[in-house]
């Protein structure tokens, strides 16, 4: 494949991207969480390209991105609790795992052959415009090689996938910085939290009165965010570090002496937005041993700690 086009955020870029997607090509698009590697969710060939560009294990289902709730209802069955969640949090960083609607135009490669589909409405003007021009669902995992750090800038996308995808639209840095929260809703209106993310279980309860239960650990891999080693930099990571040992760099949080600081004012939203960018920076600088300050386990801090634990996990 020729080198990947970097498209400036213009109306023409949106047209170009939608055209490439219609041809079955891959285009990385900015969302409010991380950059997504988009392909036509209805096309086996297009979705197969995602798996090969990322080197992704074929049993991991992808998220179908749509422009709004109406469009989502063409693909999935919405129990009442799912309607409540969609109305409260869409567009935004919440993915709902729902039963597939009969006859929905989704490739089985998008859903990895499951009877459910993960679906979300991203809150980013460029992904919204691409979805509207394209007019159908776009399958889009994070735009990084499988198992590596998720991308929050177009440079991160190109670092991992240059030459393997047709284009990336430049939307600058992603505002939320960690992937969407994933909640499964079954036909009895029960909620299960499959992956912590930009919206916490507490936010869900405060806004809707609904309570997601944590996912049972014997449920197998339902979300690759649940694979033990994921989001990994090349160096090793040591968590909850108050100080640096010799040979380590410190990724700090709050008022500490450190190499890079996720948020000097101890603001968790700022730390989430900085997390993957700073991990990419340390990786690019060749850091071999990374210590990380303790991060409070509340709100989006839960998602940050989840990603850090996976980045620190032993690798194969
Ligand atoms: O914020 C995000 O969610 C980003 C942006 C690009 O939208 N996307 C993202 O996609 O993080 P990905 O592929 O890296 O993670 C998708 C997650 C996986 O953990 C997958 O297992 C889960 O969604 N998933 C998708 N469909 C599912 C289903 N039917 N059942 C259970 N989990 C599902
Ligand atoms: Mg990912």
């Amino acid at each position: 494949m020729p080198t990947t086009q970097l498209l400036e955020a213009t109306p023409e870029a949106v047209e170009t991207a939608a055209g490439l997607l219609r041809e079955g090509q891959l285009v990385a698009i900015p969302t409010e969480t991380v950059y997504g590697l988009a392909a036509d969710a209805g096309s086996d060939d297009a979705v197969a390209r995602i798996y090969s560009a990322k080197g992704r294990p074929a049993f991991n289902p992808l998220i179908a991105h749509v422009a709004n709730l109406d469009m989502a209802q063409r693909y999935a069955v919405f129990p009442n609790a799912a309607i409540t969640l969609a109305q409260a949090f869409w567009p935004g960083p919440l993915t709902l795992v729902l039963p597939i609607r009969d006859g929905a135009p989704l490739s089985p490669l998008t859903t990895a052959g499951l009877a459910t589909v993960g679906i979300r409405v991203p809150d980013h003007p460029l992904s919204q415009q691409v979805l509207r021009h394209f007019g159908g669902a776009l399958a889009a995992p994070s735009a990084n090689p499988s198992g590596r750090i998720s991308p929050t800038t177009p440079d991160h996308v190109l670092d991992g996938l240059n030459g393997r995808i047709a284009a990336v639209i430049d939307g600058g840095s992603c505002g939320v910085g960690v992937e969407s929260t994933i909640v499964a809703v079954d036909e009895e209106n029960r909620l299960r939290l499959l992956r912590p993310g930009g919206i916490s279980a507490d936010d869900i309860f405060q806004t809707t009165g609904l309570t997601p239960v944590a996912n049972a650990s014997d449920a197998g891999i339902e979300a690759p965010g649940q694979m033990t080693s994921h989001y990994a930099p090349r160096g090793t990571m040591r968590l909850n570090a108050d100080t640096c040992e010799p040979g380590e760099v410190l990724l700090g949080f709050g008022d500490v002496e450190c190499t890079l600081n996720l948020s000097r004012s101890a603001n968790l939203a700022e730390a989430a937005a900085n997390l993957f960018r700073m991990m990419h920076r340390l990786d690019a600088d060749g850091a071999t041993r990374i210590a990380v300050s303790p991060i409070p386990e509340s709100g989006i801090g839960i998602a940050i700690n989840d990603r850090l634990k996976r980045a620190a996990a032993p690798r194969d």
Side-chain angles (χ1 to χ4, degrees), residues 33 36 56 61 63 65 116 120 141-142 179-180 182 195 222-225:
T33 59
R56 184 183 181 107
I63 295 172
H65 294 67
T116 53
R120 89 174 187 99
S142 49
E179 298 86 344
S180 60
I182 305 181
R195 178 175 75 181
E222 257 188 292

Side-chain angles (χ1 to χ4, degrees), residues 172-226:
S173 297
C174 301
V176 176
V178 292
E179 298 86 344
S180 60
T181 303
I182 305 181
V183 173
V185 183
D186 67 18
E187 264 136 330
E188 276 83 55
N189 289 296
R190 287 178 302 220
L191 273 55
R192 276 182 311 131
L193 182 65
L194 301 185
R195 178 175 75 181
I199 292 171
S200 69
D202 216 41
D203 295 332
I204 291 176
F205 178 72
Q206 297 295 335
T207 310
T208 64
L210 297 167
T211 310
V213 296
N215 194 35
S217 57
D218 60 2
I221 294 175
E222 257 188 292
Q226 294 176 263

Side-chain angles (χ1 to χ4, degrees), residues 31 33-37 54 56 60-63 65 95 97-98 110-111 114 116-118 120 140-144 178-180 182 194-195 221-226 230-231:
T31 82
T33 59
V34 300
Y35 276 71
L37 182 56
K54 280 183 64 89
R56 184 183 181 107
N60 284 340
L62 306 174
I63 295 172
H65 294 67
T95 295
V97 170
L98 302 171
T110 298
T111 57
L114 299 173
T116 53
V117 57
R120 89 174 187 99
S142 49
N144 52 293
V178 292
E179 298 86 344
S180 60
I182 305 181
L194 301 185
R195 178 175 75 181
I221 294 175
E222 257 188 292
Q226 294 176 263
H230 199 59
Y231 309 103

Side-chain angles (χ1 to χ4, degrees), residues 42-179:
S43 158
D44 294 343
D45 286 349
V47 179
R49 289 200 174 118
I50 292 182
Y51 285 98
S52 69
K54 280 183 64 89
R56 184 183 181 107
F59 53 77
N60 284 340
L62 306 174
I63 295 172
H65 294 67
V66 291
N68 51 45
L69 176 56
D70 275 356
M71 198 167 154
Q73 287 179 308
R74 306 212 298 254
Y75 298 91
V77 176
F78 278 69
N80 288 337
I83 299 273
T84 304
L85 290 170
Q87 286 173 341
F89 294 107
W90 281 358
L94 177 69
T95 295
L96 296 174
V97 170
L98 302 171
I100 299 177
R101 177 173 287 283
D102 276 346
L106 284 174
S107 162
L109 287 179
T110 298
T111 57
L114 299 173
T116 53
V117 57
I119 195 158
R120 89 174 187 99
V121 175
D123 186 15
H124 191 291
L126 288 166
S127 39
Q128 280 283 335
Q129 287 162 30
V130 171
L131 283 164
R132 282 169 205 282
H133 271 75
F134 179 71
L138 291 171
S142 49
N144 52 293
S146 195
R148 310 294 316 179
I149 306 164
S150 294
T152 56
T153 67
D155 284 350
H156 298 160
V157 175
L158 291 172
D159 279 351
L161 299 173
N162 197 4
R164 313 186 70 162
I165 64 176
V168 50
I169 304 184
D170 185 352
S173 297
C174 301
V176 176
V178 292
E179 298 86 344

Side-chain angles (χ1 to χ4, degrees), residues 250-275 277-278 292-296 300 304:
L250 181 65
L251 181 56
F253 179 81
D255 188 14
V256 289
E257 278 287 312
C258 56
T259 314
L260 289 175
N261 200 316
L262 290 166
S263 171
R264 197 159 286 286
S265 62
N267 176 319
L268 287 170
E270 182 185 29
N274 281 331
L275 178 68
R277 183 173 61 77
M278 291 187 175
V292 189
S293 292
I295 309 290
I300 201 169
I304 297 174

